[in-house]
Amino acid sequence: MSWYRNTVWFVKGLREYTRGGYESASKHFNPADVEVDVAGRSFLVTGANSGIGKATATEIARRGGTVHLVCRNKERAEVAKEEIVTETGNHNIFLHIVDLSNPKEIWKFTEKFQNEHKLNVLINNAGCMVNNRELTEDGLEKNFATNTLGTYIMTTTLVPLLEKAADARVRQQVVMTEQWAKAHRNIHFSVMHPGWADTPAVRSSMPDFYERMKNSLRTDTQGADTVLWLAVSAEATKLPSGLFFQDRQPVPTHLPLAYTHSPPEDEEKLMEVLEEFSQKFKSVSPGV
């Protein structure tokens, strides 16, 4: 029975994550939520040279925000920046080249950024799906280094800057979101699932899935919709900090009968371990 229920939930969830799921959910969206002027507010978007990150940065720029693009590949990032400026007419677009799998680079970047810029919203969009085990130059597994440790360092080091801002917001992974929401009451934390979108990451990391699903995948802009809503709408901050969203609605972080819950002590231990890891790389970062 549990296998059957989980199969039903998987099929239902897969359908909700496709373009059809977005089109169905969007019938209940209020367009006014994101029809806002964010001139004077500063946004940092990681992984912003393509896919959902670029779509998010473009929509924020279209609304007048100052956007900091944090990207790994300089050539692709420069092209993306020019395209965003041309499309939106917003010249307050700044480019920072950072490898988010390299904790020393992240420390160096955030320390410099804090001294030169203000920040209202941090959008941790960058991630990787490396199918074969790869180690970084620091001996870290690449998915962990980018998706977990990199996100941890980026966020914790920019929290003091966010604490100074009005209506500060952050988005990233589930457990860290919940833990940071408890620790930093002046910042609104949230995490979201974009659905299955037709992005370079999906095409390169999940080629078989892409071939089967390519006609049903969401567009970049559809995948970015909830990110944008969380970043700019007043409605998002009326909900509690630390929630997980799909199509502008808070949803459970675990499927029924999936047995994926972690004990609170394990989640607290994760944060302690990440802090220990991050400090090791800070001590050897250039200029420290």
Side-chain angles (χ1 to χ4, degrees):
M1 179 63 74
S2 63
W3 173 87
Y4 172 76
R5 287 178 180 172
N6 278 333
T7 301
V8 170
W9 273 97
F10 174 78
V11 173
K12 179 176 181 288
L14 187 62
R15 186 168 59 246
E16 288 178 349
Y17 289 158
T18 62
R19 186 189 310 148
Y22 174 83
E23 290 170 348
S24 177
S26 65
K27 294 175 183 177
H28 305 287
F29 292 172
N30 181 0
D33 285 357
V34 293
E35 291 175 358
V36 295
D37 183 350
V38 292
R41 287 177 64 77
S42 178
F43 301 76
L44 189 156
V45 186
T46 66
N49 65 289
S50 65
I52 291 170
K54 183 185 176 188
T56 301
T58 301
E59 293 304 315
I60 291 171
R62 201 186 307 280
R63 289 157 176 78
T66 295
V67 186
H68 295 273
L69 313 177
V70 176
C71 307
R72 180 175 58 87
N73 185 287
K74 188 173 186 293
E75 291 182 2
R76 290 201 295 265
E78 288 176 342
V79 171
K81 175 186 173 181
E82 289 306 311
E83 289 175 348
I84 292 171
V85 171
T86 299
E87 185 174 341
T88 67
N90 185 341
H91 290 268
N92 291 320
I93 312 298
F94 299 90
L95 181 58
H96 311 272
I97 305 302
V98 185
D99 182 350
L100 292 175
S101 71
N102 186 324
K104 294 186 288 293
E105 276 193 31
I106 302 172
W107 272 111
K108 183 178 180 181
F109 162 71
T110 55
E111 288 165 352
K112 186 172 186 289
F113 189 91
Q114 288 185 77
N115 293 326
E116 297 177 355
H117 304 282
K118 72 170 189 174
L119 184 62
N120 297 95
V121 180
L122 170 61
I123 300 174
N124 287 306
N125 164 79
C128 65
M129 293 185 287
V130 179
N131 295 322
N132 298 315
R133 181 175 173 81
E134 289 184 25
L135 298 180
T136 68
E137 63 181 37
D138 297 303
L140 300 170
E141 194 278 321
K142 194 166 186 178
N143 288 301
F144 167 78
T146 305
N147 302 337
T148 305
L149 183 60
T151 295
Y152 180 87
I153 296 174
M154 180 69 73
T155 304
T156 53
T157 54
L158 292 178
V159 158
L161 196 58
L162 289 160
E163 291 276 13
K164 300 175 185 177
D167 188 19
R169 311 184 192 190
V170 180
R171 169 204 170 262
Q172 73 285 307
Q173 293 194 26
V174 176
V175 171
M176 292 190 286
T177 296
E178 294 170 341
Q179 294 296 314
W180 278 322
K182 296 175 186 176
H184 304 286
R185 302 292 185 179
N186 295 331
I187 302 173
H188 195 271
F189 290 85
S190 52
V191 62
M192 60 79 68
H193 195 302
W196 293 112
D198 188 351
T199 65
V202 169
R203 292 194 293 270
S204 62
S205 300
M206 306 170 68
D208 293 340
F209 173 83
Y210 174 76
E211 283 302 316
R212 290 196 303 270
M213 299 294 295
K214 60 184 178 182
N215 294 325
S216 300
L217 298 178
R218 299 181 178 198
T219 66
D220 293 345
T221 302
Q222 290 172 341
D225 177 81
T226 298
V227 186
L228 178 69
W229 184 81
L230 290 168
V232 306
S233 78
E235 293 302 308
T237 52
K238 292 179 182 178
L239 295 164
S241 181
L243 297 182
F244 176 48
F245 289 82
Q246 178 189 336
D247 291 331
R248 304 192 188 184
Q249 293 293 323
V251 295
T253 55
H254 302 274
L255 291 174
L257 305 177
Y259 305 108
T260 53
H261 291 268
S262 302
E265 56 269 24
D266 286 357
E267 296 183 357
E268 292 169 4
K269 182 63 176 178
L270 170 66
M271 301 301 280
E272 292 173 6
V273 170
L274 288 173
E275 179 62 20
E276 292 174 6
F277 260 116
S278 70
Q279 290 300 321
K280 288 179 183 179
F281 292 104
K282 179 182 181 181
S283 66
V284 296
S285 62
V288 176

